[in-house]
Amino acid sequence: MWANIKQILFLCGIMAIAQLSSAQDITVSPNGDISSLTEAVAVADSNSTIILTEGIYTERNITINKPLTIEGSGRAIIDAEGEGYVLIVRSDNVTLKNIEVRNAGISFMEDNAGILYEKVKGGLIENVTLTDNFFGIYLSNTSDTIIRNNILTASSKRETQSGNGIHLWYSKNITIEKNTVRGHRDGIYFEFVEDVTIRDNLSEENLRYGQHFMFSDRCVFTRNTYRNNGAGVAVMYTDQVTMTENNFEDNWGSAAYGLLMKEIRESEVYNNRFENNSVALYMEASSRNRIKQNEFVNNGWAVKVMANSMDNQFVRNNFVENSFDVATNSRQNFNIFNRNYWSHYEGYDLDRDGVGDVPYRPVRLFSIIIEKQPEVLVLMRSMLIGILDAAERLMPVLTPEELVDKKPQMARIQ
C-alpha cells in the first residue's frame, strides 16, 4: 500500500514540474507577432510571464482568468481611453509589475478601475503607475495580496467624477506599502476589511479623505503621511485599530481633521505627529482608546472630544502652540488626561520633580464661546479673552471642572 502511495505522489510531482516547465515567456510589442495584451493572455499557459515591451496599448476590460505575471519592459502603457476597466483579475496568483495603467472610464453606474482584483488571493501589484483612472486599484472579496511601491494620480476636480485611489471591499490580509496617492476622492478607502497593514505610504492632495475606513477591524497603519487632503483621515465604526508613527499634516478647512475617530473602540494612537491641521484629533462616540506619546503642534484645535466619548486615555502627549489644546461640548469629563506636556501651562515645580505642582485645565472658556458664536474668533488675541480664560481657570463655571491634567509635565516629552 505504501509503495502505491509513493508512486502516486511521485507521479503528481512529475506532472507539477512538467506543468511549470511548459509555462513560457510571451513577449508583446506594438509591431510584433503578438501586439496586444488581450491576445497574449488568451494564448498564455498558466504561470507564464508576459513581457509588455515599451509602447502604448489601447485596450480595455482585459480579463485575466489564469495565474500569470505581467511585467513591463521600458515604458509600457495600457490606455483604456476613458471607457470601462483596464485590467480585471479573476484568478489567484496574478502579478502585475512595471507597467502604466491609465484612463479607466468615469461612470456613475460602475466602479471602473485601472486594476480590479475580484474574488481572488495571492496577488501582487508592484511598481505600477496608475494615471487618471476613475478608481485606481480596487480589491473586492480578495485576500493575501500585496500592493507595493505604486504611484496613483488623478486630476478630477469634483468628488462625483473621481473614485478612490486604493479601494478595498470585503477583503482581508492585505499589505499596502510604499505607495503614493494623489488627486483621488479618497486616497485609501476600506469597508468591511480585516487584518490589513498600511505602512510607509504618502496620501496627499486628495479631494476628500487621505484615508477613510469603516467596519474594518484589526488594521494597523504605521509610518504613513497624510498631507493636505480635503478632510484629513476618517476612521469609523471599527475596533482594535493600531495607528503609530504617522504624520497628519496641513489638513485645513471648516470640516477638516488630521484624524477623525467615530465609534472607535479599544484602539491605540501612539507616536504620531499632528501638525498644522484645523482639528488634529476629533473623537465622537469612541471609547477605551489609548492616545499616547503623540505630538500635537500648531493646530487650530489639538483635540476635540465629544460628550459621548468615554474611558479614553490621553497620556504623555506633547501639546505645543495649538490655538486650543482641548475642546468639548460637555460640562462633565469621562476621559483621562495625565502626564502630558502643555506649552500653555504657566504653573510651577517647587520640588523639581519635573511635574507641575498645579493641575492644568486645558479647556479654554473661549473655545466654548466659539462653538456657540463662531464669528467671535476674530477676538482670539484680544486682552479681554485672555482675562476671561484666566478667570475661568481659577473658578471653573462653564468649562468641565473635572477635565484636568493633575500631573502636567514641565518639559517637552522626548
Side-chain angles (χ1 to χ4, degrees):
M1 179 178 178
W2 283 111
N4 291 335
I5 293 174
K6 288 180 180 179
Q7 287 180 345
I8 292 170
L9 291 174
F10 177 76
L11 291 173
C12 288
I14 293 295
M15 291 172 65
I17 293 170
Q19 184 177 10
L20 288 173
S21 63
S22 68
Q24 296 179 352
D25 290 356
I26 295 175
T27 298
V28 182
S29 63
N31 300 312
D33 293 336
I34 298 177
S35 59
S36 75
L37 181 56
T38 302
E39 182 183 358
V41 170
V43 301
D45 294 323
S46 294
N47 304 304
S48 294
T49 296
I50 296 175
I51 305 298
L52 204 60
T53 63
E54 186 164 346
I56 298 176
Y57 300 86
T58 304
E59 303 181 59
R60 61 186 64 88
N61 300 324
I62 304 166
T63 301
I64 302 166
N65 51 17
K66 65 189 78 171
L68 294 172
T69 295
I70 298 173
E71 185 170 354
S73 174
R75 191 180 180 192
I77 301 169
I78 311 169
D79 192 337
E81 294 189 322
E83 296 183 20
Y85 295 81
V86 184
L87 293 167
I88 301 171
V89 176
R90 293 195 172 124
S91 169
D92 295 345
N93 304 316
V94 171
T95 294
L96 304 175
K97 297 176 66 175
N98 306 325
I99 58 176
E100 182 173 344
V101 174
R102 67 190 191 190
N103 293 325
I106 295 172
S107 173
F108 300 105
M109 301 296 293
E110 300 287 337
D111 293 334
N112 292 336
I115 298 172
L116 169 66
Y117 275 57
E118 188 173 39
K119 297 180 181 179
V120 299
K121 62 183 179 181
L124 171 63
I125 305 170
E126 186 173 32
N127 297 328
V128 175
T129 299
L130 295 106
T131 307
D132 284 333
N133 298 287
F134 186 46
F135 283 76
I137 297 171
Y138 195 125
L139 270 55
S140 173
N141 279 290
T142 292
S143 65
D144 306 298
T145 292
I146 298 171
I147 302 172
R148 178 192 296 141
N149 203 34
N150 305 289
I151 298 174
L152 301 92
T153 58
S155 56
S156 293
K157 302 301 180 184
R158 292 163 40 184
E159 290 182 16
T160 55
Q161 294 184 330
S162 180
N164 303 319
I166 299 174
H167 184 112
L168 273 61
W169 188 79
Y170 269 108
S171 296
K172 62 183 180 180
N173 298 326
I174 308 295
T175 298
I176 301 171
E177 61 183 358
K178 298 181 180 178
N179 302 283
T180 297
V181 188
R182 293 189 185 95
H184 283 273
R185 180 172 59 201
D186 294 341
I188 302 171
Y189 180 92
F190 296 168
E191 191 168 4
F192 302 109
V193 165
E194 295 179 351
D195 302 305
V196 171
T197 298
I198 315 104
R199 59 182 174 233
D200 300 312
N201 300 284
L202 170 62
S203 182
E204 65 178 359
E205 299 175 3
N206 294 290
L207 300 177
R208 190 169 62 176
Y209 293 110
Q211 181 165 306
H212 183 193
F213 68 92
M214 302 183 289
F215 310 107
S216 298
D217 297 341
R218 300 184 306 279
C219 293
V220 177
F221 62 97
T222 184
R223 298 190 304 274
N224 303 288
T225 296
Y226 306 100
R227 180 188 301 133
N228 194 24
N229 297 291
V233 170
V235 185
M236 303 177 177
Y237 317 115
T238 296
D239 295 345
Q240 300 175 29
V241 181
T242 301
M243 298 167 263
T244 63
E245 300 180 67
N246 301 285
N247 292 312
F248 302 86
E249 304 171 356
D250 300 322
N251 299 293
W252 286 103
S254 58
Y257 311 95
L259 174 62
L260 182 154
M261 299 174 66
K262 182 176 175 65
E263 296 190 35
I264 304 301
R265 292 166 296 273
E266 298 177 349
S267 296
E268 298 182 343
V269 183
Y270 282 15
N271 296 317
N272 301 283
R273 184 175 181 86
F274 299 83
E275 187 169 7
N276 295 329
N277 302 285
S278 293
V279 178
L281 174 59
Y282 179 93
M283 185 177 288
E284 180 178 341
S286 297
S287 60
R288 301 187 301 278
N289 301 295
R290 286 177 59 84
I291 296 88
K292 184 177 179 182
Q293 294 178 324
N294 301 283
E295 296 275 331
F296 295 92
V297 181
N298 292 327
N299 300 285
W301 283 262
V303 174
K304 276 191 175 183
V305 184
M306 297 297 100
N308 54 5
S309 293
M310 56 187 64
D311 299 324
N312 300 290
Q313 299 181 35
F314 295 80
V315 179
R316 295 189 66 78
N317 302 284
N318 287 318
F319 291 84
V320 181
E321 299 301 328
N322 303 290
S323 298
F324 302 99
D325 288 327
V326 179
T328 183
N329 62 347
S330 175
R331 290 291 311 282
Q332 296 178 297
N333 176 49
F334 304 103
N335 303 288
I336 295 172
F337 289 82
N338 190 39
R339 295 184 179 275
N340 300 287
Y341 169 75
W342 312 87
S343 64
H344 297 306
Y345 179 62
E346 297 177 346
Y348 47 83
D349 178 20
L350 295 179
D351 58 4
R352 307 205 173 193
D353 63 352
V355 178
D357 296 338
V358 179
Y360 180 65
R361 300 184 183 280
V363 179
R364 293 178 58 182
L365 174 61
F366 190 46
S367 70
I368 295 174
I369 296 173
I370 288 175
E371 289 296 319
K372 297 178 179 180
Q373 300 289 336
E375 60 272 13
V376 302
L377 185 61
V378 297
L379 300 175
M380 182 171 174
R381 304 297 180 188
S382 71
M383 182 180 296
L384 173 62
I385 296 302
I387 293 171
L388 288 174
D389 282 335
E392 180 69 16
R393 286 196 185 100
L394 289 173
M395 293 183 294
V397 176
L398 298 177
T399 57
E401 186 174 357
E402 296 179 359
L403 202 163
V404 59
D405 189 335
K406 295 182 179 179
K407 296 183 177 181
Q409 302 298 290
M410 296 300 296
R412 192 165 177 171
I413 299 163
Q414 301 301 317

